[in-house]
Amino acid sequence: MPCYLGIDSSTQSCKGVVIDTERGQLVLHLKVDYKEDLPAYGCPEGFLPSADKLVRHADPLMWVAALDLLFERGRGSGFDWSRVEGVSCSGQQHGSVYLNAAHAAAQWTPETPLVDQVAPLLARKTSPIWMDSSTTAECAEIAHAAGGDDRVLAITGSRATERFTGPQIRRFYKQEPQAYAATARIHLVSSFLAYLLTARADTPIDLGDGAGMNLLDLSRGDWSEELLFATAPGLRAKLPPIRPCTHVVGKIARYFVERHGFRPDAQVVISSGDNPCSLIGMGAAFPGTHVISLGTSDTYFAAMPGVRTDPQGYGHVFGNPAGGFLSLICFKNGSKTREKIAERFGLTWPEFSAAIGSTPPGNHGNLMLPYVEAEITPRVLRPEVRLYGTPEFTAWRNAAAAVRAVVEAQALSMRIHSGWIGERPTALLVTGGASENDAILQVFADVFQARLRRLAVADSAALGAAIRAAHAAGGLAWEALFARFAVPEPGAIEPNPQAATVYEQMAQQYLERLEEVSS
Ligand code: ADP
Ligand code: XUL
C-alpha cells in the first residue's frame, strides 16, 4: 500500500503523520515533545532562556535529535518505514540554521547518531526562531536601503519584519561578522530538515516558506537582488536555490535506510512552512475557505487568487503550495499566553473551559490587553498585560473573568486585524492544539459570528506535508487528496447571534485601549 509521510518540526514538538493513499487512511501519528522527551537541549517552550525578552533562539540540534527519535518511535510502534514512498517536511516559519562549508560534502554514517554528525557542521550554535523580535534596527536599515517599507512590501509581500529571516541574518552579520563569513549555507527550519533527509548540498527552499524571509521577489519567484544587497554582503551564495512547492529534492539518504528501515528509493519532496502546509492539510488551498490556527502562535490564513497586502503592514503574503498565494496574519500571544493565565490561577484545561462557560459574552465589561510576549499583530514591543474593569478583575482576583478576558481579546484582535483579507466569512475552519477546546472555540465563533469546524486530524501541518508528498511524489490530484484526508469532523460550533452587538462594542473598546500600548 503506498504510504506518504509528513513531518512537522514545530515550536514545541516534532510531529509525524503517515497516510495510506490507497485505503484513504491515516495509519500513523507520532509526536516528540521537546519539553518531555528532549529536556537536555534546554528549550522546554521551544526556545533557549534569554535575559532579553525580545531574543528567542533555539538549539537546532534539538530538531535533529527529534527527527531520529520520531523514526525510532515509529519502529517501536511496529510501523515498517519501508512502506513510505515519499516524505515531505513542514517547519515553523522564519527560523534559520547556519552551516559551514563542510556541510556540502557531508554524508551521514548509519553507525553514529545524526545529531553528532550535524554538530560540527554548524557555523552558528543557535537558531533565531519566529518568536524573536530583536531586529527592529535591522528592519529599519533594510527598509532604508531598499527605498522604504512600501518597497519591501511590494517586492516580498511583507514589510521588513523582526522575525523574518533577512533581518535576522543582517543582525547575525553585524554582531558576528566572522561567524557570518564562515557560513556557507543558510537554511530555513523546513529546508534544513530536507537537507538532513537527503544530505544534498543543493537542497532548495520552496516559494511558500521562502516568502517569509523578506528576501524573495514574489513576482519573479526568485531572490531579490535589491533585498539581498540591503541585507548582508555575499548573501546570495549562502542561500539555497528557490524551487516550486512540488519539487522533488531526491532520494532519502542511506542513513535512514540502514538505521530506520526506509526503502532506498523513498523520495524526499521539498519542504514548506507550517502555515502553507496547514493550508493544504485543511483542504483550504483554493480561495474561499478561511482558517484559524490556534497553535503556539495563533494564525489566520486563506488562499487568495492574487497578491493582496495588508495596508496596516502586519499581515503577510506567502506562496500557496497548490499554486498562487496565501495571506496570513500571525499573533505571537497564542497558546502560551492562554497557558500563562491558566497557570496564574492553577487551572487545568477543563477548569479553564468551565471558567469560560461561567461568564457571559462581553465579560461584564472586563477587558484585557494580553501581551505577555512582545506582539507581532498588533505591534507591541514592550510586552505587558493590562486589565480594565471591576476592582476584583483588575486585582487579579476573578479567575473566571481573567480566563474569558484573554480569549475574548485574542479573538477580537484576530477579527479586527484580519479584515483586510476580504469579507468576513460565515464559516471558518479551525486547527492547532487549542482547537480541541470547545469553550475557546465558542468565544471565537461568537466574536466572528461564524460557524467553526474542526478537521478530523488536528495536526494539519504534518498532514499537509504528507498530502504534499503524495501529490508531488505519488502524482495524486489535490482534489482527491483533500476529499480523502481533509475531512471536517461531524458537528460544528455555532455562533450565538445575541453576542453580535456586545462584540461590536467591545471591539471599539479594545481598539481604544490598544493605542495605550502599541508601538
Ligand atoms: P505548535 O504546532 O505550534 O508547536 P500545537 O498546535 O501543537 O503547537 O499546540 C500546542 C498548544 O496547544 C499548547 O501550547 C497548549 O497550550 C495548547 N493546548 C493543548 N490542549 C489544549 C486544550 N485542551 N485547551 C487549550 N489549549 C490546549
Ligand atoms: C507565521 C509565524 C508562525 C510560525 C510558527 O508567520 O511566524 O506561525 O510559522 O508556527
Side-chain angles (χ1 to χ4, degrees), residues 223-257:
W223 302 122
S224 153
E225 283 306 333
E226 274 174 84
L227 267 306
L228 290 174
F229 184 73
T231 301
L235 183 51
R236 180 177 266 279
K238 300 181 198 292
L239 292 175
I242 285 283
R243 292 286 175 270
C245 306
T246 48
H247 174 82
V248 176
V249 183
K251 295 202 175 61
I252 200 159
R254 194 171 62 91
Y255 175 90
F256 301 97
V257 177

PDB file of all heavy atoms in Angstrom, residues 223-257:
ATOM      1  N   TRP A 223      15.180  35.040  -5.598  1.00  0.00           N
ATOM      2  CA  TRP A 223      15.762  36.011  -4.663  1.00  0.00           C
ATOM      3  C   TRP A 223      15.785  37.397  -5.300  1.00  0.00           C
ATOM      4  O   TRP A 223      16.062  37.532  -6.499  1.00  0.00           O
ATOM      5  CB  TRP A 223      17.189  35.609  -4.262  1.00  0.00           C
ATOM      6  CG  TRP A 223      17.276  34.249  -3.630  1.00  0.00           C
ATOM      7  CD1 TRP A 223      18.016  33.197  -4.048  1.00  0.00           C
ATOM      8  CD2 TRP A 223      16.595  33.801  -2.451  1.00  0.00           C
ATOM      9  NE1 TRP A 223      17.831  32.113  -3.228  1.00  0.00           N
ATOM     10  CE2 TRP A 223      16.964  32.454  -2.234  1.00  0.00           C
ATOM     11  CE3 TRP A 223      15.706  34.390  -1.557  1.00  0.00           C
ATOM     12  CZ2 TRP A 223      16.481  31.706  -1.164  1.00  0.00           C
ATOM     13  CZ3 TRP A 223      15.213  33.636  -0.495  1.00  0.00           C
ATOM     14  CH2 TRP A 223      15.603  32.321  -0.305  1.00  0.00           C
ATOM     15  N   SER A 224      15.522  38.416  -4.500  1.00  0.00           N
ATOM     16  CA  SER A 224      15.527  39.795  -4.987  1.00  0.00           C
ATOM     17  C   SER A 224      16.925  40.384  -4.791  1.00  0.00           C
ATOM     18  O   SER A 224      17.421  40.441  -3.662  1.00  0.00           O
ATOM     19  CB  SER A 224      14.505  40.613  -4.190  1.00  0.00           C
ATOM     20  OG  SER A 224      14.877  41.957  -4.153  1.00  0.00           O
ATOM     21  N   GLU A 225      17.547  40.813  -5.879  1.00  0.00           N
ATOM     22  CA  GLU A 225      18.884  41.415  -5.774  1.00  0.00           C
ATOM     23  C   GLU A 225      18.872  42.607  -4.815  1.00  0.00           C
ATOM     24  O   GLU A 225      19.781  42.791  -4.021  1.00  0.00           O
ATOM     25  CB  GLU A 225      19.384  41.863  -7.157  1.00  0.00           C
ATOM     26  CG  GLU A 225      19.892  40.743  -8.049  1.00  0.00           C
ATOM     27  CD  GLU A 225      20.985  39.876  -7.403  1.00  0.00           C
ATOM     28  OE1 GLU A 225      21.712  40.358  -6.522  1.00  0.00           O
ATOM     29  OE2 GLU A 225      21.068  38.695  -7.772  1.00  0.00           O
ATOM     30  N   GLU A 226      17.802  43.419  -4.909  1.00  0.00           N
ATOM     31  CA  GLU A 226      17.714  44.605  -4.054  1.00  0.00           C
ATOM     32  C   GLU A 226      17.730  44.231  -2.576  1.00  0.00           C
ATOM     33  O   GLU A 226      18.414  44.844  -1.769  1.00  0.00           O
ATOM     34  CB  GLU A 226      16.374  45.313  -4.313  1.00  0.00           C
ATOM     35  CG  GLU A 226      16.385  46.291  -5.453  1.00  0.00           C
ATOM     36  CD  GLU A 226      14.969  46.800  -5.696  1.00  0.00           C
ATOM     37  OE1 GLU A 226      14.539  47.745  -5.006  1.00  0.00           O
ATOM     38  OE2 GLU A 226      14.301  46.227  -6.571  1.00  0.00           O
ATOM     39  N   LEU A 227      16.940  43.227  -2.243  1.00  0.00           N
ATOM     40  CA  LEU A 227      16.848  42.850  -0.829  1.00  0.00           C
ATOM     41  C   LEU A 227      18.092  42.117  -0.351  1.00  0.00           C
ATOM     42  O   LEU A 227      18.526  42.284   0.791  1.00  0.00           O
ATOM     43  CB  LEU A 227      15.588  42.013  -0.586  1.00  0.00           C
ATOM     44  CG  LEU A 227      14.327  42.768  -0.154  1.00  0.00           C
ATOM     45  CD1 LEU A 227      14.575  43.631   1.068  1.00  0.00           C
ATOM     46  CD2 LEU A 227      13.774  43.649  -1.244  1.00  0.00           C
ATOM     47  N   LEU A 228      18.699  41.319  -1.236  1.00  0.00           N
ATOM     48  CA  LEU A 228      19.946  40.638  -0.856  1.00  0.00           C
ATOM     49  C   LEU A 228      20.990  41.697  -0.522  1.00  0.00           C
ATOM     50  O   LEU A 228      21.677  41.639   0.499  1.00  0.00           O
ATOM     51  CB  LEU A 228      20.465  39.773  -2.009  1.00  0.00           C
ATOM     52  CG  LEU A 228      19.682  38.515  -2.372  1.00  0.00           C
ATOM     53  CD1 LEU A 228      20.255  37.874  -3.633  1.00  0.00           C
ATOM     54  CD2 LEU A 228      19.691  37.510  -1.231  1.00  0.00           C
ATOM     55  N   PHE A 229      21.081  42.710  -1.379  1.00  0.00           N
ATOM     56  CA  PHE A 229      22.063  43.769  -1.218  1.00  0.00           C
ATOM     57  C   PHE A 229      21.800  44.554   0.079  1.00  0.00           C
ATOM     58  O   PHE A 229      22.720  44.916   0.803  1.00  0.00           O
ATOM     59  CB  PHE A 229      22.001  44.697  -2.445  1.00  0.00           C
ATOM     60  CG  PHE A 229      23.032  45.764  -2.439  1.00  0.00           C
ATOM     61  CD1 PHE A 229      24.366  45.475  -2.690  1.00  0.00           C
ATOM     62  CD2 PHE A 229      22.668  47.090  -2.178  1.00  0.00           C
ATOM     63  CE1 PHE A 229      25.322  46.481  -2.664  1.00  0.00           C
ATOM     64  CE2 PHE A 229      23.621  48.094  -2.142  1.00  0.00           C
ATOM     65  CZ  PHE A 229      24.950  47.786  -2.391  1.00  0.00           C
ATOM     66  N   ALA A 230      20.508  44.789   0.353  1.00  0.00           N
ATOM     67  CA  ALA A 230      20.151  45.575   1.541  1.00  0.00           C
ATOM     68  C   ALA A 230      20.388  44.790   2.833  1.00  0.00           C
ATOM     69  O   ALA A 230      20.462  45.370   3.913  1.00  0.00           O
ATOM     70  CB  ALA A 230      18.681  45.979   1.454  1.00  0.00           C
ATOM     71  N   THR A 231      20.513  43.469   2.740  1.00  0.00           N
ATOM     72  CA  THR A 231      20.524  42.636   3.956  1.00  0.00           C
ATOM     73  C   THR A 231      21.942  42.334   4.455  1.00  0.00           C
ATOM     74  O   THR A 231      22.282  42.634   5.597  1.00  0.00           O
ATOM     75  CB  THR A 231      19.735  41.336   3.693  1.00  0.00           C
ATOM     76  OG1 THR A 231      18.411  41.686   3.341  1.00  0.00           O
ATOM     77  CG2 THR A 231      19.723  40.442   4.913  1.00  0.00           C
ATOM     78  N   ALA A 232      22.785  41.751   3.612  1.00  0.00           N
ATOM     79  CA  ALA A 232      24.143  41.404   4.068  1.00  0.00           C
ATOM     80  C   ALA A 232      25.005  41.061   2.851  1.00  0.00           C
ATOM     81  O   ALA A 232      24.488  40.521   1.861  1.00  0.00           O
ATOM     82  CB  ALA A 232      24.098  40.212   5.022  1.00  0.00           C
ATOM     83  N   PRO A 233      26.313  41.331   2.928  1.00  0.00           N
ATOM     84  CA  PRO A 233      27.172  41.061   1.772  1.00  0.00           C
ATOM     85  C   PRO A 233      27.344  39.562   1.508  1.00  0.00           C
ATOM     86  O   PRO A 233      27.364  38.753   2.441  1.00  0.00           O
ATOM     87  CB  PRO A 233      28.512  41.695   2.167  1.00  0.00           C
ATOM     88  CG  PRO A 233      28.461  41.887   3.630  1.00  0.00           C
ATOM     89  CD  PRO A 233      27.028  41.950   4.037  1.00  0.00           C
ATOM     90  N   GLY A 234      27.437  39.228   0.252  1.00  0.00           N
ATOM     91  CA  GLY A 234      27.725  37.839  -0.123  1.00  0.00           C
ATOM     92  C   GLY A 234      26.593  36.886   0.192  1.00  0.00           C
ATOM     93  O   GLY A 234      26.796  35.670   0.274  1.00  0.00           O
ATOM     94  N   LEU A 235      25.379  37.418   0.365  1.00  0.00           N
ATOM     95  CA  LEU A 235      24.290  36.560   0.848  1.00  0.00           C
ATOM     96  C   LEU A 235      23.808  35.556  -0.197  1.00  0.00           C
ATOM     97  O   LEU A 235      23.475  34.415   0.134  1.00  0.00           O
ATOM     98  CB  LEU A 235      23.128  37.455   1.335  1.00  0.00           C
ATOM     99  CG  LEU A 235      21.926  36.758   1.946  1.00  0.00           C
ATOM    100  CD1 LEU A 235      22.339  35.772   3.038  1.00  0.00           C
ATOM    101  CD2 LEU A 235      20.955  37.786   2.536  1.00  0.00           C
ATOM    102  N   ARG A 236      23.793  35.957  -1.457  1.00  0.00           N
ATOM    103  CA  ARG A 236      23.235  35.060  -2.478  1.00  0.00           C
ATOM    104  C   ARG A 236      23.917  33.687  -2.446  1.00  0.00           C
ATOM    105  O   ARG A 236      23.242  32.651  -2.498  1.00  0.00           O
ATOM    106  CB  ARG A 236      23.373  35.668  -3.880  1.00  0.00           C
ATOM    107  CG  ARG A 236      22.809  34.756  -4.954  1.00  0.00           C
ATOM    108  CD  ARG A 236      22.876  35.403  -6.304  1.00  0.00           C
ATOM    109  NE  ARG A 236      21.650  36.084  -6.664  1.00  0.00           N
ATOM    110  CZ  ARG A 236      20.567  35.487  -7.149  1.00  0.00           C
ATOM    111  NH1 ARG A 236      20.530  34.184  -7.303  1.00  0.00           N
ATOM    112  NH2 ARG A 236      19.510  36.184  -7.478  1.00  0.00           N
ATOM    113  N   ALA A 237      25.239  33.684  -2.315  1.00  0.00           N
ATOM    114  CA  ALA A 237      25.983  32.417  -2.350  1.00  0.00           C
ATOM    115  C   ALA A 237      25.660  31.534  -1.145  1.00  0.00           C
ATOM    116  O   ALA A 237      25.882  30.318  -1.178  1.00  0.00           O
ATOM    117  CB  ALA A 237      27.469  32.702  -2.399  1.00  0.00           C
ATOM    118  N   LYS A 238      25.152  32.126  -0.094  1.00  0.00           N
ATOM    119  CA  LYS A 238      24.868  31.349   1.117  1.00  0.00           C
ATOM    120  C   LYS A 238      23.446  30.777   1.112  1.00  0.00           C
ATOM    121  O   LYS A 238      23.098  29.959   1.953  1.00  0.00           O
ATOM    122  CB  LYS A 238      25.046  32.239   2.364  1.00  0.00           C
ATOM    123  CG  LYS A 238      26.457  32.808   2.532  1.00  0.00           C
ATOM    124  CD  LYS A 238      26.541  33.654   3.793  1.00  0.00           C
ATOM    125  CE  LYS A 238      27.753  34.583   3.803  1.00  0.00           C
ATOM    126  NZ  LYS A 238      29.046  33.905   3.897  1.00  0.00           N
ATOM    127  N   LEU A 239      22.611  31.267   0.189  1.00  0.00           N
ATOM    128  CA  LEU A 239      21.211  30.830   0.180  1.00  0.00           C
ATOM    129  C   LEU A 239      21.006  29.658  -0.773  1.00  0.00           C
ATOM    130  O   LEU A 239      21.608  29.616  -1.853  1.00  0.00           O
ATOM    131  CB  LEU A 239      20.304  31.986  -0.243  1.00  0.00           C
ATOM    132  CG  LEU A 239      20.196  33.145   0.741  1.00  0.00           C
ATOM    133  CD1 LEU A 239      19.356  34.269   0.149  1.00  0.00           C
ATOM    134  CD2 LEU A 239      19.602  32.691   2.074  1.00  0.00           C
ATOM    135  N   PRO A 240      20.117  28.739  -0.407  1.00  0.00           N
ATOM    136  CA  PRO A 240      19.786  27.632  -1.321  1.00  0.00           C
ATOM    137  C   PRO A 240      19.028  28.155  -2.529  1.00  0.00           C
ATOM    138  O   PRO A 240      18.511  29.279  -2.500  1.00  0.00           O
ATOM    139  CB  PRO A 240      18.862  26.747  -0.481  1.00  0.00           C
ATOM    140  CG  PRO A 240      18.986  27.207   0.920  1.00  0.00           C
ATOM    141  CD  PRO A 240      19.389  28.641   0.873  1.00  0.00           C
ATOM    142  N   PRO A 241      18.938  27.358  -3.590  1.00  0.00           N
ATOM    143  CA  PRO A 241      18.074  27.772  -4.700  1.00  0.00           C
ATOM    144  C   PRO A 241      16.602  27.762  -4.274  1.00  0.00           C
ATOM    145  O   PRO A 241      16.246  27.114  -3.293  1.00  0.00           O
ATOM    146  CB  PRO A 241      18.326  26.684  -5.770  1.00  0.00           C
ATOM    147  CG  PRO A 241      18.915  25.528  -5.038  1.00  0.00           C
ATOM    148  CD  PRO A 241      19.562  26.051  -3.795  1.00  0.00           C
ATOM    149  N   ILE A 242      15.786  28.508  -5.045  1.00  0.00           N
ATOM    150  CA  ILE A 242      14.330  28.523  -4.803  1.00  0.00           C
ATOM    151  C   ILE A 242      13.665  27.587  -5.813  1.00  0.00           C
ATOM    152  O   ILE A 242      14.002  27.632  -7.002  1.00  0.00           O
ATOM    153  CB  ILE A 242      13.789  29.958  -4.993  1.00  0.00           C
ATOM    154  CG1 ILE A 242      14.166  30.831  -3.814  1.00  0.00           C
ATOM    155  CG2 ILE A 242      12.288  29.980  -5.218  1.00  0.00           C
ATOM    156  CD1 ILE A 242      13.328  30.591  -2.571  1.00  0.00           C
ATOM    157  N   ARG A 243      12.762  26.762  -5.349  1.00  0.00           N
ATOM    158  CA  ARG A 243      12.057  25.845  -6.252  1.00  0.00           C
ATOM    159  C   ARG A 243      10.560  25.845  -5.920  1.00  0.00           C
ATOM    160  O   ARG A 243      10.176  26.182  -4.797  1.00  0.00           O
ATOM    161  CB  ARG A 243      12.586  24.408  -6.084  1.00  0.00           C
ATOM    162  CG  ARG A 243      14.013  24.197  -6.557  1.00  0.00           C
ATOM    163  CD  ARG A 243      14.129  24.177  -8.090  1.00  0.00           C
ATOM    164  NE  ARG A 243      15.517  24.089  -8.517  1.00  0.00           N
ATOM    165  CZ  ARG A 243      16.325  25.125  -8.762  1.00  0.00           C
ATOM    166  NH1 ARG A 243      15.877  26.361  -8.639  1.00  0.00           N
ATOM    167  NH2 ARG A 243      17.569  24.946  -9.140  1.00  0.00           N
ATOM    168  N   PRO A 244       9.718  25.412  -6.870  1.00  0.00           N
ATOM    169  CA  PRO A 244       8.276  25.352  -6.589  1.00  0.00           C
ATOM    170  C   PRO A 244       7.963  24.337  -5.489  1.00  0.00           C
ATOM    171  O   PRO A 244       8.771  23.439  -5.202  1.00  0.00           O
ATOM    172  CB  PRO A 244       7.667  24.883  -7.917  1.00  0.00           C
ATOM    173  CG  PRO A 244       8.753  24.871  -8.914  1.00  0.00           C
ATOM    174  CD  PRO A 244      10.057  24.978  -8.222  1.00  0.00           C
ATOM    175  N   CYS A 245       6.768  24.469  -4.916  1.00  0.00           N
ATOM    176  CA  CYS A 245       6.388  23.644  -3.761  1.00  0.00           C
ATOM    177  C   CYS A 245       6.182  22.182  -4.125  1.00  0.00           C
ATOM    178  O   CYS A 245       5.950  21.345  -3.240  1.00  0.00           O
ATOM    179  CB  CYS A 245       5.119  24.207  -3.133  1.00  0.00           C
ATOM    180  SG  CYS A 245       5.268  25.938  -2.722  1.00  0.00           S
ATOM    181  N   THR A 246       6.220  21.831  -5.400  1.00  0.00           N
ATOM    182  CA  THR A 246       6.007  20.434  -5.802  1.00  0.00           C
ATOM    183  C   THR A 246       7.318  19.754  -6.231  1.00  0.00           C
ATOM    184  O   THR A 246       7.301  18.624  -6.724  1.00  0.00           O
ATOM    185  CB  THR A 246       5.035  20.390  -6.994  1.00  0.00           C
ATOM    186  OG1 THR A 246       5.477  21.349  -7.945  1.00  0.00           O
ATOM    187  CG2 THR A 246       3.619  20.716  -6.574  1.00  0.00           C
ATOM    188  N   HIS A 247       8.430  20.422  -6.025  1.00  0.00           N
ATOM    189  CA  HIS A 247       9.728  19.902  -6.473  1.00  0.00           C
ATOM    190  C   HIS A 247      10.145  18.657  -5.653  1.00  0.00           C
ATOM    191  O   HIS A 247       9.929  18.610  -4.440  1.00  0.00           O
ATOM    192  CB  HIS A 247      10.752  21.034  -6.277  1.00  0.00           C
ATOM    193  CG  HIS A 247      12.162  20.665  -6.553  1.00  0.00           C
ATOM    194  ND1 HIS A 247      12.686  20.644  -7.832  1.00  0.00           N
ATOM    195  CD2 HIS A 247      13.171  20.317  -5.722  1.00  0.00           C
ATOM    196  CE1 HIS A 247      13.958  20.305  -7.760  1.00  0.00           C
ATOM    197  NE2 HIS A 247      14.276  20.092  -6.502  1.00  0.00           N
ATOM    198  N   VAL A 248      10.736  17.681  -6.330  1.00  0.00           N
ATOM    199  CA  VAL A 248      11.275  16.517  -5.609  1.00  0.00           C
ATOM    200  C   VAL A 248      12.782  16.739  -5.435  1.00  0.00           C
ATOM    201  O   VAL A 248      13.510  16.935  -6.409  1.00  0.00           O
ATOM    202  CB  VAL A 248      10.998  15.199  -6.370  1.00  0.00           C
ATOM    203  CG1 VAL A 248      11.643  14.015  -5.655  1.00  0.00           C
ATOM    204  CG2 VAL A 248       9.490  14.979  -6.493  1.00  0.00           C
ATOM    205  N   VAL A 249      13.245  16.715  -4.190  1.00  0.00           N
ATOM    206  CA  VAL A 249      14.652  17.026  -3.903  1.00  0.00           C
ATOM    207  C   VAL A 249      15.552  15.859  -4.283  1.00  0.00           C
ATOM    208  O   VAL A 249      16.618  16.034  -4.872  1.00  0.00           O
ATOM    209  CB  VAL A 249      14.846  17.358  -2.399  1.00  0.00           C
ATOM    210  CG1 VAL A 249      16.291  17.758  -2.109  1.00  0.00           C
ATOM    211  CG2 VAL A 249      13.891  18.461  -1.964  1.00  0.00           C
ATOM    212  N   GLY A 250      15.132  14.643  -3.965  1.00  0.00           N
ATOM    213  CA  GLY A 250      15.945  13.469  -4.287  1.00  0.00           C
ATOM    214  C   GLY A 250      15.573  12.302  -3.390  1.00  0.00           C
ATOM    215  O   GLY A 250      14.570  12.353  -2.671  1.00  0.00           O
ATOM    216  N   LYS A 251      16.406  11.268  -3.426  1.00  0.00           N
ATOM    217  CA  LYS A 251      16.107  10.063  -2.626  1.00  0.00           C
ATOM    218  C   LYS A 251      16.582  10.241  -1.186  1.00  0.00           C
ATOM    219  O   LYS A 251      17.516  10.997  -0.924  1.00  0.00           O
ATOM    220  CB  LYS A 251      16.808   8.856  -3.258  1.00  0.00           C
ATOM    221  CG  LYS A 251      16.267   8.538  -4.638  1.00  0.00           C
ATOM    222  CD  LYS A 251      16.560   7.105  -5.019  1.00  0.00           C
ATOM    223  CE  LYS A 251      15.911   6.753  -6.332  1.00  0.00           C
ATOM    224  NZ  LYS A 251      16.379   7.574  -7.465  1.00  0.00           N
ATOM    225  N   ILE A 252      15.963   9.513  -0.311  1.00  0.00           N
ATOM    226  CA  ILE A 252      16.314   9.592   1.109  1.00  0.00           C
ATOM    227  C   ILE A 252      17.744   9.079   1.319  1.00  0.00           C
ATOM    228  O   ILE A 252      18.195   8.158   0.622  1.00  0.00           O
ATOM    229  CB  ILE A 252      15.282   8.811   1.963  1.00  0.00           C
ATOM    230  CG1 ILE A 252      15.329   9.263   3.417  1.00  0.00           C
ATOM    231  CG2 ILE A 252      15.487   7.299   1.854  1.00  0.00           C
ATOM    232  CD1 ILE A 252      14.068   8.947   4.199  1.00  0.00           C
ATOM    233  N   ALA A 253      18.481   9.676   2.254  1.00  0.00           N
ATOM    234  CA  ALA A 253      19.883   9.301   2.498  1.00  0.00           C
ATOM    235  C   ALA A 253      19.967   7.888   3.093  1.00  0.00           C
ATOM    236  O   ALA A 253      19.052   7.437   3.797  1.00  0.00           O
ATOM    237  CB  ALA A 253      20.520  10.321   3.438  1.00  0.00           C
ATOM    238  N   ARG A 254      21.110   7.258   2.818  1.00  0.00           N
ATOM    239  CA  ARG A 254      21.339   5.869   3.243  1.00  0.00           C
ATOM    240  C   ARG A 254      21.174   5.701   4.766  1.00  0.00           C
ATOM    241  O   ARG A 254      20.742   4.663   5.264  1.00  0.00           O
ATOM    242  CB  ARG A 254      22.771   5.485   2.821  1.00  0.00           C
ATOM    243  CG  ARG A 254      23.078   4.010   2.859  1.00  0.00           C
ATOM    244  CD  ARG A 254      24.427   3.737   2.207  1.00  0.00           C
ATOM    245  NE  ARG A 254      25.538   4.402   2.909  1.00  0.00           N
ATOM    246  CZ  ARG A 254      26.258   3.854   3.888  1.00  0.00           C
ATOM    247  NH1 ARG A 254      26.025   2.630   4.273  1.00  0.00           N
ATOM    248  NH2 ARG A 254      27.244   4.531   4.478  1.00  0.00           N
ATOM    249  N   TYR A 255      21.536   6.731   5.508  1.00  0.00           N
ATOM    250  CA  TYR A 255      21.430   6.703   6.972  1.00  0.00           C
ATOM    251  C   TYR A 255      20.033   6.226   7.408  1.00  0.00           C
ATOM    252  O   TYR A 255      19.897   5.381   8.298  1.00  0.00           O
ATOM    253  CB  TYR A 255      21.685   8.122   7.501  1.00  0.00           C
ATOM    254  CG  TYR A 255      21.502   8.293   8.984  1.00  0.00           C
ATOM    255  CD1 TYR A 255      22.572   8.112   9.866  1.00  0.00           C
ATOM    256  CD2 TYR A 255      20.266   8.657   9.518  1.00  0.00           C
ATOM    257  CE1 TYR A 255      22.404   8.289  11.232  1.00  0.00           C
ATOM    258  CE2 TYR A 255      20.088   8.837  10.876  1.00  0.00           C
ATOM    259  CZ  TYR A 255      21.166   8.649  11.729  1.00  0.00           C
ATOM    260  OH  TYR A 255      20.990   8.824  13.082  1.00  0.00           O
ATOM    261  N   PHE A 256      18.999   6.769   6.755  1.00  0.00           N
ATOM    262  CA  PHE A 256      17.619   6.471   7.167  1.00  0.00           C
ATOM    263  C   PHE A 256      17.196   5.073   6.698  1.00  0.00           C
ATOM    264  O   PHE A 256      16.338   4.445   7.305  1.00  0.00           O
ATOM    265  CB  PHE A 256      16.674   7.555   6.646  1.00  0.00           C
ATOM    266  CG  PHE A 256      17.051   8.918   7.174  1.00  0.00           C
ATOM    267  CD1 PHE A 256      17.830   9.787   6.416  1.00  0.00           C
ATOM    268  CD2 PHE A 256      16.689   9.294   8.448  1.00  0.00           C
ATOM    269  CE1 PHE A 256      18.220  11.014   6.919  1.00  0.00           C
ATOM    270  CE2 PHE A 256      17.072  10.530   8.966  1.00  0.00           C
ATOM    271  CZ  PHE A 256      17.845  11.387   8.191  1.00  0.00           C
ATOM    272  N   VAL A 257      17.836   4.622   5.630  1.00  0.00           N
ATOM    273  CA  VAL A 257      17.555   3.276   5.118  1.00  0.00           C
ATOM    274  C   VAL A 257      18.134   2.265   6.109  1.00  0.00           C
ATOM    275  O   VAL A 257      17.442   1.341   6.568  1.00  0.00           O
ATOM    276  CB  VAL A 257      18.189   3.098   3.716  1.00  0.00           C
ATOM    277  CG1 VAL A 257      17.984   1.685   3.202  1.00  0.00           C
ATOM    278  CG2 VAL A 257      17.630   4.134   2.741  1.00  0.00           C
TER     279      VAL A 257
END
